């Protein structure tokens, strides 16, 4: 088994929502990602997936906890070292329309990271690297001088992927990279991500709310609910044997392309049995909700439901 | 069904024309930057283009108009006072026998100068102040915003008149008086734009690559706020021109013999029923200038807004 590339311990990110209340968007989550692995992260809108992904990359300063990359706690790094660290950790964004600067040409979008880190010595070298990246994601060289508004959603997402690959990262947080695309394009982008992973030995944290797509791409899947990580297991195990009521409910919502099965399928619907992520200022979260217990090998579930 | 016997198609009957994947990625449309795109939309707006041409002509006339006349703006000719337009004095003369043609264009030059200088200073202060408010947000924004609100709540005319009374009346004083509160609107516009833009994903993407504040502000945030900034300028130039005319009309503006459109209108009031040309030429010119700036600014706003793209 390969070593852990990412180790997240007790990560918390709270937002002050006024009137003495805090929103615990990420509440004491723990997980590791092995080198070359894809960890899927699923949960409904607003459950803290995106916040977790951004905090792991230190785009948000955490309330507490640590994220270790190759054993180095990135929250303790000074600005200069953190900047260098950003070459190893990159992000692919959800909305391909909002994530590209409309005033930049494609070559400036992809080349920006090269400029920031001084990775291209000369103009020719920069151009060569940009063309290499365009090839990698299946775009043409003459796209380099065009502007984002001239591209389709799938093409834009590939530009975003090329941008994140420019600095040769080892770890990429994919923040719902396919949820804004239509289904035919989704497969194209997911396959591109898998292919790049094999070729470049990338490690992914793949955030999504589409369970079938997550199963397809992930080695292990973590389920988040109301800011807490409630279950974590190998993909097959999680889908075959869900333990947490939220996971069960989530899995029961996957549509099955067979009308007879679909009509007899029983949906499990939760009625807020698990409360809300908004707490008053000094209120502690119940440990049993955030602490994960290993119930079988590699299958973790929140202590309250073990 | 009648057509059934016609439909015995076999797979061999279909010819696969295929799609070359590389070919599918080719974009046919001519590559246009956001600026070129806006310019094309602006060009289709006839009103705005007419206003632009008129503005160009006014600026040109203000610069070179006086050269075509043998008179200057300050010499009196007491033998020819209050003369109506003639082949000698194209716009007539005023009560001191000064040539109104020359004085009108000279006044337009002063008015445009005041308008452009005031707008430029508004731009400089407004963008810096608003940029800081929007970018840093939180407590910095709170305090700076309160300061600007307090400044804005002081009656504008009071400040201006006080300033002009205390300081020596000159062109510089007028520009100072106009900009002392004029930049606030610009600062608010910039603040709003930056606040909205800084949470966009492309800014986050740049941060995730390790970009610093300067790069974010000057490469990502401000260039994307340029549209509203330009529109605000084109609408604040006529405001400054009008404010200068208004102050000159009250006698607080430029001092004789320097002419501005406002002071010329003020001078003409004593006998405007008898000598309407003294009043008409500067009044029409100032109206035309302001109308053109406003129409052009409106057209520019439409052209720069990509949501109106057809």
């Amino acid at each position: 088994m390969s070593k852990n590339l990412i180790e997240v311990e007790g990560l918390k990110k709270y937002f002050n929502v006024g009137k003495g209340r805090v929103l615990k968007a990420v509440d004491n989550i723990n997980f590791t990602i092995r080198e070359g692995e894809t960890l899927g992260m699923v949960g409904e809108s607003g459950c803290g997936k995106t916040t977790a992904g951004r905090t792991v990359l230190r785009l948000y300063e955490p309330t507490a906890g640590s994220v270790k990359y190759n054993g180095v706690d990135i929250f303790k790094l000074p600005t200069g070292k953190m900047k260098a660290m950003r070459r190893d950790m990159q992000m692919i964004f959800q909305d391909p329309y909002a994530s590209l600067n409309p005033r930049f040409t494609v070559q400036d979008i992809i080349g920006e990271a090269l400029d920031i880190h001084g990775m291209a010595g000369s103009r020719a070298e920069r151009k060569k690297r940009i063309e290499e990246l365009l090839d990698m994601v299946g775009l043409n060289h003459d796209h380099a001088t065009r502007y984002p508004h001239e591209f389709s959603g799938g093409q834009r997402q590939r530009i975003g992927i090329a941008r994140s690959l420019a600095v040769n990262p080892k770890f990429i947080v994919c923040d719902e990279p396919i949820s804004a695309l239509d289904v035919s394009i989704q497969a194209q982008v997911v396959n591109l991500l898998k292919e790049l992973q094999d070729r470049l030995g990338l490690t992914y944290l793949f955030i999504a709310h589409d369970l079938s797509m997550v199963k397809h791409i992930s080695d292990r899947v973590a389920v988040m609910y109301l800011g807490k990580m409630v279950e974590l297991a190998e993909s097959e195990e999680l889908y075959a044997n869900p333990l947490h009521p939220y996971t069960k409910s989530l899995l029961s919502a996957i549509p099955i392309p067979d009308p007879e099965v679909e009509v007899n399928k029983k949906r499990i619907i939760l009625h807020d049995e698990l409360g809300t992520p908004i707490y008053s200022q000094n209120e502690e979260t119940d440990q049993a909700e955030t602490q994960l217990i290993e119930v079988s090998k590699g299958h973790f579930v929140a202590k309250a439901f073990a | 069904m009648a057509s059934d016997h016609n439909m015995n198609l076999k797979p061999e009957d279909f010819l696969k024309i295929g799609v070359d994947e590389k070919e599918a990625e080719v974009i046919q449309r001519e590559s246009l930057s956001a600026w070129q795109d806006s310019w094309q939309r602006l060009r289709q707006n006839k009103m705005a283009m007419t206003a632009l041409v008129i503005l160009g002509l006014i600026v040109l006339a203000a610069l070179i108009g006086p050269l075509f006349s043998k008179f200057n703006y300050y010499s009196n000719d007491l033998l020819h006072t209050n003369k109506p337009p003639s082949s000698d004095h194209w716009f007539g003369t005023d009560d001191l026998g000064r040539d109104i043609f020359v004085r009108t264009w000279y006044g337009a030059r002063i008015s445009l100068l005041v308008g452009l200088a005031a707008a430029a200073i508004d731009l400089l202060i407004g963008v810096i102040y608003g940029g800081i408010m929007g970018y840093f947000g939180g407590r910095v924004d709170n305090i700076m915003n309160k300061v600007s609100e307090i400044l804005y709540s002081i009656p504008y005319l009071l400040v201006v008149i006080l300033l002009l009374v205390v300081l020596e009346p000159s062109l510089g004083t007028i520009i100072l008086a106009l900009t002392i509160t004029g930049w606030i609107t610009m600062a608010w516009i910039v603040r709003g734009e930056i606040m909205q833009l800084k949470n966009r994903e492309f800014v986050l993407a740049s941060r995730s690559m390790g970009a610093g504040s300067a790069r974010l502000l000057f490469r990502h945030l401000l260039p994307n706020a340029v549209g509203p900034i330009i529109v605000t300028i084109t609408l604040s130039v006529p405001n400054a021109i009008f404010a200068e005319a208004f102050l000159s009309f009250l006698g607080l503006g430029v001092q004789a013999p320097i002419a501005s459109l406002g002071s010329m209108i003020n001078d003409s009031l004593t006998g405007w029923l008898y000598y309407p040309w003294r009043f008409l030429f500067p009044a029409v010119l100032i109206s035309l200038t302001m109308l053109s700036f406003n129409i052009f600014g409106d057209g520019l706003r439409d052209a720069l807004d990509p949501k109106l793209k057809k």
Side-chain angles (χ1 to χ4, degrees):
Chain A
M1 194 191 285
S2 49
K3 65 181 170 99
N4 287 337
L5 188 71
I6 299 286
E7 291 170 0
V8 177
E9 258 180 55
L11 190 66
K12 295 180 185 174
K13 177 65 192 173
Y14 298 171
F15 293 103
N16 223 323
V17 288
K19 293 181 188 159
R21 294 176 309 164
V22 284
L23 168 67
K24 300 190 173 180
V26 176
D27 197 359
N28 197 10
I29 64 173
N30 301 277
F31 60 89
T32 58
I33 309 176
R34 290 190 293 272
E35 201 163 6
E37 183 191 35
T38 300
L39 176 68
M41 194 181 256
V42 293
E44 63 199 23
S45 302
C47 73
K49 308 182 297 275
T50 296
T51 309
R54 290 179 180 180
T55 315
V56 165
L57 289 184
R58 205 182 172 186
L59 289 173
Y60 296 150
E61 290 297 325
T63 307
S66 70
V67 171
K68 289 194 178 113
Y69 173 85
N70 261 336
V72 181
D73 186 351
I74 64 164
F75 296 136
K76 295 212 169 75
L77 291 177
T79 319
K81 287 236 174 74
M82 189 62 221
K83 188 177 158 188
M85 179 63 89
R86 295 209 179 280
R87 287 169 58 161
D88 286 346
M89 312 171 78
Q90 276 295 317
M91 186 154 191
I92 296 168
F93 290 87
Q94 175 175 9
D95 183 348
Y97 292 86
S99 64
L100 306 177
N101 186 339
R103 302 220 173 254
F104 276 26
T105 55
V106 169
Q107 58 186 345
D108 287 333
I109 290 170
I110 298 175
E112 187 179 18
L114 301 176
D115 300 341
I116 290 173
H117 294 287
M119 290 170 80
S122 62
R123 285 182 73 89
E125 215 173 291
R126 183 174 186 263
K127 186 162 178 270
K128 190 167 153 263
R129 176 71 180 141
I130 288 165
E131 288 180 347
E132 208 175 286
L133 288 159
L134 285 173
D135 284 337
M136 231 183 256
V137 298
L139 292 171
N140 295 350
H141 289 183
D142 55 341
H143 287 161
T145 51
R146 291 185 174 267
Y147 289 85
H149 67 260
E150 302 174 56
F151 293 91
S152 68
Q155 287 175 319
R156 282 160 175 250
Q157 198 54 290
R158 283 186 274 159
I159 295 168
I161 293 171
R163 166 176 63 187
S164 61
L165 291 175
V167 287
N168 288 320
K170 305 203 171 49
F171 172 60
I172 299 182
V173 174
C174 308
D175 183 8
E176 306 204 28
I178 50 167
S179 60
L181 307 173
D182 66 52
V183 181
S184 60
I185 306 295
Q186 284 188 356
Q188 200 185 43
V189 170
V190 165
N191 289 336
L192 174 66
L193 286 171
K194 280 192 110 168
E195 186 194 312
L196 290 169
Q197 180 170 41
D198 292 342
R199 240 170 85 191
L200 305 170
L202 299 170
T203 305
Y204 289 144
L205 173 61
F206 192 91
I207 301 170
H209 55 237
D210 179 340
L211 286 158
S212 38
M213 201 56 99
V214 168
K215 188 181 176 189
H216 174 67
I217 195 172
S218 309
D219 300 307
R220 288 186 302 148
V221 175
V223 181
M224 278 192 75
Y225 183 56
L226 301 175
K228 301 166 188 75
M229 187 171 282
V230 294
E231 195 161 0
L232 171 68
E234 303 278 329
S235 303
E236 296 298 329
E237 165 71 10
L238 185 89
Y239 283 74
N241 191 15
L243 291 176
H244 195 279
Y246 179 68
T247 315
K248 287 178 186 165
S249 163
L250 210 55
L251 290 175
S252 80
I254 301 178
I256 298 162
D258 179 342
E260 275 175 36
V261 179
E262 184 68 26
V263 98
N264 295 319
K265 195 178 71 175
K266 211 167 155 272
R267 282 287 302 276
I268 303 168
I269 294 166
L270 293 183
H271 298 283
D272 286 336
E273 289 104 325
L274 296 166
T276 110
I278 295 179
Y279 291 80
S280 61
Q281 200 83 60
N282 296 315
E283 193 182 345
E284 288 291 327
T285 316
D286 186 358
Q287 283 285 318
E289 284 180 38
T290 57
Q291 200 182 341
L292 295 179
I293 299 285
E294 189 165 13
V295 286
S296 60
K297 191 176 160 13
H299 191 156
F300 298 83
V301 69
K303 197 176 174 184
F305 296 92
Chain B
M1 262 179 262
S3 63
D4 259 3
H5 52 271
N6 293 335
M7 298 293 275
N8 290 327
L9 292 171
K10 293 182 277 301
E12 304 89 85
D13 295 337
F14 289 95
L15 182 67
K16 191 179 177 196
I17 50 173
V19 179
D20 183 1
E21 272 191 26
K22 274 283 171 195
E23 206 139 286
E25 305 287 352
V26 174
I27 304 174
Q28 299 291 343
R29 187 174 176 263
E30 195 190 342
S31 179
L32 290 176
S33 73
W35 290 118
Q36 292 165 320
D37 212 45
S38 300
W39 171 239
Q40 290 213 332
R41 250 170 299 153
L42 186 64
R43 264 201 332 209
Q44 283 161 12
N45 186 339
K46 287 201 182 66
M47 285 279 278
M49 287 315 281
T50 312
L52 184 64
V53 170
I54 292 174
L55 278 179
L57 291 176
I58 290 174
V59 171
L60 196 70
L63 288 176
I64 63 169
L67 300 176
F68 292 105
S69 171
K70 52 181 182 272
F71 303 99
N72 59 38
Y73 71 91
Y74 49 83
S75 295
N76 304 340
D77 180 359
L78 295 176
L79 294 175
H80 297 94
T81 58
N82 293 327
K83 286 276 184 268
S86 64
S87 60
D88 225 16
H89 296 282
W90 297 332
F91 286 3
T93 63
D94 66 4
D95 55 349
L96 294 171
R98 293 176 295 197
D99 183 73
I100 290 182
F101 177 79
V102 175
R103 281 181 72 77
T104 302
W105 294 122
Y106 187 81
R109 196 188 292 179
I110 299 288
S111 293
L112 285 171
L113 182 71
V114 169
L116 292 174
I121 295 171
D122 284 356
L123 173 74
L124 189 73
I125 303 175
V127 166
I128 293 173
Y129 197 93
I132 293 173
M133 279 198 290
Y135 185 72
F136 291 103
R139 187 162 297 166
V140 177
D141 171 50
N142 244 331
I143 294 169
M144 289 176 77
N145 202 13
K146 281 287 171 296
V147 169
S148 64
E149 272 168 9
I150 290 168
L151 260 178
Y152 197 75
S153 68
I154 302 171
Y156 154 76
L157 210 56
L158 200 73
V159 179
V160 172
I161 291 174
L162 207 67
L163 207 74
L164 288 171
V165 170
V166 173
L167 296 174
E168 201 78 355
S170 73
L171 216 54
T173 315
I174 291 179
I175 294 172
L176 177 70
L178 292 179
T179 49
I180 204 155
T181 55
W183 57 271
I184 294 174
T185 327
M186 177 63 87
W188 286 344
I189 298 246
V190 173
R191 169 180 179 265
E193 285 294 316
I194 300 284
M195 284 199 145
Q196 194 189 15
L197 286 167
K198 75 173 176 185
N199 292 321
R200 294 275 293 277
E201 284 188 339
F202 68 81
V203 179
L204 208 62
S206 185
R207 271 183 56 204
S208 79
M209 290 183 287
S213 291
R215 185 181 192 88
L216 291 179
L217 205 52
F218 293 108
R219 298 272 286 148
H220 290 284
L221 296 172
L222 287 177
N224 277 290
V226 152
I229 291 174
I230 290 183
V231 172
T232 312
I233 295 175
T234 51
L235 298 177
S236 77
V237 171
N239 276 342
I241 290 176
F242 185 74
E244 184 277 330
F246 177 68
L247 290 172
S248 295
F249 181 76
L250 291 177
L252 292 165
V254 291
Q255 300 300 300
I258 299 176
S260 88
L261 296 176
S263 64
M264 286 175 72
I265 297 170
N266 183 30
D267 291 343
S268 71
L269 278 187
T270 44
W272 73 274
L273 270 178
Y274 306 102
Y275 321 116
W277 57 90
R278 286 181 50 195
F279 161 82
L280 217 56
F281 290 110
V284 166
L285 187 60
I286 200 165
S287 307
L288 200 61
T289 311
M290 290 193 51
L291 187 68
S292 301
F293 262 113
N294 281 319
I295 290 174
F296 179 65
D298 249 15
L300 206 57
R301 175 180 13 224
D302 291 348
L304 287 169
D305 188 352
K307 279 177 224 108
L308 291 171
K309 195 186 308 192
K310 288 179 193 97

